[in-house]
Amino acid sequence: GRHELQEVVTAAIEKLPERLRQVLHLYYAEDCTLREIGAILEVSESRVCQLHGQAVARLRARMKTWTAR
C-alpha cells in the first residue's frame, strides 16, 4: 500500500550517491531553484538540471522494478 511505497521510495533515495540526494533534498524539501542549488553546490544551473534528471531517472528505474513484482 501507500506506506510500503513510501518505504520503497525512501530506500531508493538512500541508495543514490550523496550529490544526487543533495539535489533532490534542496529541490523538493527546501524548495530551492536550480540556480540556488547550483550556487550551493558550486556548479552551473545546467549541471544541476542534469543531476536532477539523473536522480529522477534512477528513482524511476527502481520504481519500475518495484511495480513489476
Side-chain angles (χ1 to χ4, degrees):
R2 184 177 168 83
H3 183 70
E4 186 185 3
L5 175 63
Q6 193 173 4
E7 286 179 2
V8 171
V9 172
T10 301
I13 291 170
E14 287 171 356
K15 287 180 185 154
L16 290 174
E18 174 64 27
R19 197 142 174 94
L20 297 183
R21 283 201 317 265
Q22 240 181 333
V23 169
L24 291 180
H25 176 77
L26 290 167
Y27 191 77
Y28 293 104
E30 303 292 331
D31 288 327
C32 292
T33 64
L34 296 179
R35 178 172 291 160
E36 290 167 337
I37 296 168
I40 293 165
L41 300 181
E42 298 179 349
V43 296
S44 69
E45 191 174 345
S46 62
R47 180 66 184 138
V48 175
C49 190
Q50 288 175 337
L51 291 169
H52 177 265
Q54 191 180 2
V56 170
R58 286 186 184 200
L59 291 177
R60 278 206 184 109
R62 289 239 167 81
M63 296 316 297
K64 266 193 185 138
T65 61
W66 182 75
T67 55
R69 30 178 215 108

